[in-house]
Amino acid sequence: MRRGIAATALVASIALAATACGGSDSSDDKSAGPTTITWWDTSNATNEAPTYKALAKEFEKANPTIKVKYVNVPFDQAQNKFDTAAGASGAPDVLRSEVGWTPAFAKKGYFLPLDGTAALADQAKFQPNLIEQAKYDGKTYGVPFVTDTLALVYNKALFEKAGIKEAPKTWGDLKTAAATIKKKTGVDGYWGSTQAYYAQSFLYGEGTNTVDATAKKITVNSPEAKKAFGTWQGLFSGKGLHKADTTADAYAHIQDAFVNGKVAAIIQGPWEITNFYKGSAFTDKANLGIATVPAGSTGKAGAPTGGHNLSVYAGSDKAHQEASLKFVNFMTSAKSQSTIALKNSTLPTRDDAYTAEVKADPGIAGYQGVLPAAQPRPALPEYGSLWGPLDTELPKIAGGRESVQWGQSTPEVASATVDPDF
């Protein structure tokens, strides 16, 4: 899982602190040579990092007075590592930050406001809703780097074999389609995730969320939320519906089954596009179907907006900040984003990066088409942590060990998510 779970990590190692910002390192003084900035990249070390390393080298070649110290940090450790390093004034100069981390780090003063800086010189080119995602308390603390959302991804060949001509529009349609696919092909039609991030779409489909930011109220115990989780739970049992996998390797199991044609549809994000194509079911890329997530009883469909920004550490000295701002502008340029999209099959955040060549990738084109259903996250420092207790409780419910009626069998969910300062 790559979205929204870093806040649940139990251990915050500070092993990477020594590789961080050169602001206090006299060896990086301009009189001693090029300014060296440290960049913590949180992308997949195998599939994505090589592209970012190559672009960093390209930046150095174009800017000989600046050196980039590249460090790849595992995504599920990065939030806590940066929090620890920044609190000790030893954070990297630039962080590839998940969009949900912005409010908390901005509130603590760890991120530099970027309004009016070189980093945001091309602000008008970015999709406005993604700029809003990078804001906290009226200021912008990151430049959108890559974006994503969830979609219903499906195996077109299996759907066609079952006589299903279009992607399901509602969760009820999906349930019906799964049964038909099982009957006609022998393959399960749908395999759902028990992780809280993937359950967000069910909440949006009932017109709710885990929290009402305006009312400052946790809504996970609301009638709408209970209905959403009831629908979610119902997709783990029935003909053509794969039972819940509550093991630690569930994500890998679901992904492997889908890419190899052992299940016809799952809910997934564009960070897996390159891995889809590696599976036996999608050697022909055109077999990958991508549709907006099904709608709930409100008739509306929604999926969480994810992605990453590039943010600059506020604790760096002026020379390092100026170099970092220039680096961020380069990495988020249309040319760089187009390169990243072509190499990594990720979604650009600016319209001018969606070139004809980029959109020739059916995965990118498909996910670009579902972006209108993406729902912004509330600008709350506490918001990401609300998924933690759900990540603990939802597998129990999916496995039949607890009831979806939180107030009866799992009162700790509501109490665990309430922040006294919220």
Side-chain angles (χ1 to χ4, degrees), residues 11 20 28 51 58 69 72 97 178-179 188 251 265 278 325 332-333 383 397 405-406 421:
V11 179
D28 285 333
T51 301
E58 186 177 326
K69 186 173 185 177
N72 186 269
S97 172
D188 280 338
Y251 184 97
K278 293 176 182 177
L325 294 170
T332 57
S333 67
Y383 184 68
I397 294 169
Q405 301 301 318
W406 309 109
D421 296 324

Side-chain angles (χ1 to χ4, degrees), residues 51-113:
T51 301
Y52 295 135
K53 288 180 181 179
L55 281 171
K57 291 296 182 184
E58 186 177 326
F59 171 80
E60 288 181 331
K61 186 176 180 180
N63 298 272
T65 63
I66 304 173
K67 296 297 181 183
V68 179
K69 186 173 185 177
Y70 175 93
V71 182
N72 186 269
V73 185
F75 175 79
D76 60 357
Q77 301 173 25
Q79 185 178 18
N80 283 330
K81 286 181 181 295
F82 183 83
D83 194 27
T84 300
S89 299
D93 300 285
V94 179
L95 174 70
R96 180 179 182 267
S97 172
E98 209 272 347
V99 295
W101 303 347
T102 300
F105 287 148
K107 184 178 181 180
K108 290 182 176 182
Y110 294 163
F111 283 169
L112 183 74

Side-chain angles (χ1 to χ4, degrees), residues 235-249:
L235 287 169
F236 291 111
S237 177
K239 188 172 183 180
L241 299 170
H242 198 288
K243 69 177 182 179
D245 186 336
T246 59
T247 69
D249 296 324

Side-chain angles (χ1 to χ4, degrees), residues 127 129 147-154 167 169 268-270 273 288-293 301-303 345-348 351 354 358-375:
Q127 297 173 27
N129 63 320
T147 188
D148 62 60
T149 190
L150 294 175
L152 178 73
V153 292
Y154 62 99
K169 302 294 185 183
Q268 191 53 281
I273 289 175
L288 178 64
I290 301 172
T292 301
V293 295
S345 291
T346 52
L347 302 185
D351 294 333
Y354 282 93
V358 168
K359 290 193 290 185
D361 184 320
I364 292 178
Y367 272 100
Q368 184 188 21
V370 305
L371 281 176
Q375 302 292 310

Side-chain angles (χ1 to χ4, degrees), residues 5 12 14 43 70 80 92 96 103 105 120 135 152 158 162 175 186 221 233 239 266 272 294 326 374 382 395-396 409:
I5 62 170
I14 61 173
S43 71
Y70 175 93
N80 283 330
R96 180 179 182 267
F105 287 148
L120 274 177
K135 289 186 175 182
L152 178 73
L158 288 174
K175 203 167 188 175
N221 200 37
Q233 184 182 35
K239 188 172 183 180
I266 63 174
E272 290 291 357
K326 196 169 186 178
E382 302 85 358
K396 299 176 184 177
S409 64

Side-chain angles (χ1 to χ4, degrees), residues 1-9 75-76 79 97-101 148 195-198 200 271 304-308 377 382-391:
M1 171 72 180
R2 288 178 54 191
R3 302 268 68 82
I5 62 170
T8 65
F75 175 79
D76 60 357
Q79 185 178 18
S97 172
E98 209 272 347
V99 295
W101 303 347
D148 62 60
Q195 293 179 311
Y197 185 77
Y198 290 79
Q200 282 292 124
W271 53 86
T305 301
H308 294 80
R377 301 185 195 180
E382 302 85 358
Y383 184 68
S385 65
L386 300 180
W387 286 325
L390 289 174
D391 276 330

